[in-house]
Amino acid sequence: MLTRILILLFVTMALAVYAKNDKKALLIIDVQKDFCKSGSLEVPNADEVVPIFNNLRSSVKWDSVMLTADWHPEKHVSFASTHEVKEFTEIVLPNGSKQMMWPDHCVQRTDGAKFHSDLVVKKSDVIVHKGTNLNVDSYSGFFDNDGESQTELNFKLQERGIKSVYIGGLALNVCVTYTCLDAVKLGFKTHLILDASRGLGDAQNKAAIKKLKAAGVIIINSRDIIRSF
Ligand code: VGL
Ligand code: ZN
């Protein structure tokens, strides 16, 4: 009898330690109006991710929920209008770096920079702004594209002892991909929530998923997360 109790106690403790060591965060990338329906940089079917995130929040006990927001100053280096170019193609900047041209989007404090109005956001959530440097773009939620400066995202995750991250949002082939790749590099057990992500095109999305798999990112759907936690 005593042995059984001791075994049970040991198993319970081991499970508790394991659960404690595997703290998990939900990272919601750029679910902002400008990337959603009728936004200036509309991602096809973007709005579909909103109920998926809301359901993930209510069905899973996350240790932390963090949201990134693309947050550009006016005349940002990534805006075609800044360079008076008409096409949304890659250009070479005077400093020699390559920069993709985009329509004006997610300008700080504008309506388009707000989160989708149906997305559940709580007071306890951590919100991380990115792309705030006028002269450098930032696709990853962690680092600027030139790798020089970083946001507080890694610090906030470390501070909370997060070991696993579950990442989804907009756009799959741009900011979601870059954030996942940096998360792996920083040592997080990294999951892409595929059904909670939308990208700019089928071919681009496919290429992104392939790249993420090769980098060691675990591809998962919200249903499987809800089932396994
Ligand atoms: C994004 C293009 C430009 C994104 C941000 O959030 O994926 N894409 N800025
Ligand atoms: Zn941007």
Side-chain angles (χ1 to χ4, degrees):
M1 185 62 186
L2 186 66
T3 331
R4 269 203 211 166
I5 291 171
L6 282 175
I7 288 172
L8 198 66
L9 199 67
F10 177 78
V11 170
T12 314
M13 276 165 63
L15 277 173
V17 167
Y18 176 77
K20 210 173 176 184
N21 282 340
D22 194 40
K23 282 197 174 180
K24 53 197 184 297
L26 176 65
L27 304 190
I28 305 175
I29 306 301
D30 300 359
V31 182
Q32 293 163 274
K33 289 188 183 181
D34 271 342
F35 296 121
C36 294
K37 189 136 198 70
S38 310
S40 64
L41 211 173
E42 185 176 341
V43 176
N45 309 311
D47 299 49
E48 291 172 5
V49 306
V50 174
I52 298 174
F53 279 120
N54 291 348
N55 186 35
L56 266 173
R57 293 199 69 138
S58 58
S59 311
V60 174
K61 206 185 157 299
W62 298 97
D63 294 295
S64 204
V65 176
M66 303 197 186
L67 301 96
T68 63
D70 215 26
W71 196 250
H72 300 312
E74 279 176 29
K75 303 269 172 210
H76 188 247
V77 69
S78 73
F79 299 168
S81 64
T82 302
H83 310 272
E84 295 180 23
V85 298
K86 296 265 175 300
E87 272 118 88
F88 299 123
T89 52
E90 199 169 73
I91 66 163
V92 179
L93 300 174
N95 68 8
S97 66
K98 288 178 184 165
Q99 174 64 53
M100 186 68 184
M101 293 291 93
W102 304 101
D104 288 26
H105 65 280
C106 299
V107 174
Q108 295 171 3
R109 286 172 284 276
T110 61
D111 190 59
K114 289 183 181 155
F115 293 123
H116 189 291
S117 32
D118 296 333
L119 184 71
V120 172
V121 182
K122 297 186 184 176
K123 278 230 169 68
S124 53
D125 294 349
V126 173
I127 295 171
V128 173
H129 293 104
K130 65 185 186 60
T132 57
N133 184 335
L134 183 66
N135 301 308
V136 190
D137 208 359
S138 182
Y139 292 152
S140 160
F142 291 100
F143 296 98
D144 276 359
N145 287 2
D146 65 4
E148 293 277 321
S149 46
Q150 63 170 307
T151 66
E152 65 274 25
L153 183 55
N154 185 34
F155 177 75
K156 298 275 183 193
L157 291 166
Q158 301 292 351
E159 193 180 50
R160 288 161 176 73
I162 303 292
K163 301 281 183 252
S164 294
V165 290
Y166 291 76
I167 304 173
L170 311 170
L172 167 57
N173 61 307
V174 190
C175 292
V176 174
T177 291
Y178 280 77
T179 305
C180 285
L181 293 175
D182 278 344
V184 171
K185 281 186 205 146
L186 289 166
F188 294 101
K189 188 172 179 191
T190 306
H191 307 74
L192 164 72
I193 317 169
L194 189 57
D195 62 333
S197 303
R198 293 293 180 280
L200 291 163
D202 287 342
Q204 292 97 313
N205 297 346
K206 233 178 154 179
I209 294 164
K210 198 172 159 192
K211 198 167 163 183
L212 291 172
K213 276 186 184 161
V217 173
I218 301 153
I219 316 289
I220 193 165
N221 280 311
S222 59
R223 208 178 34 162
D224 301 313
I225 299 173
I226 293 166
R227 222 189 257 148
S228 66
F229 285 168

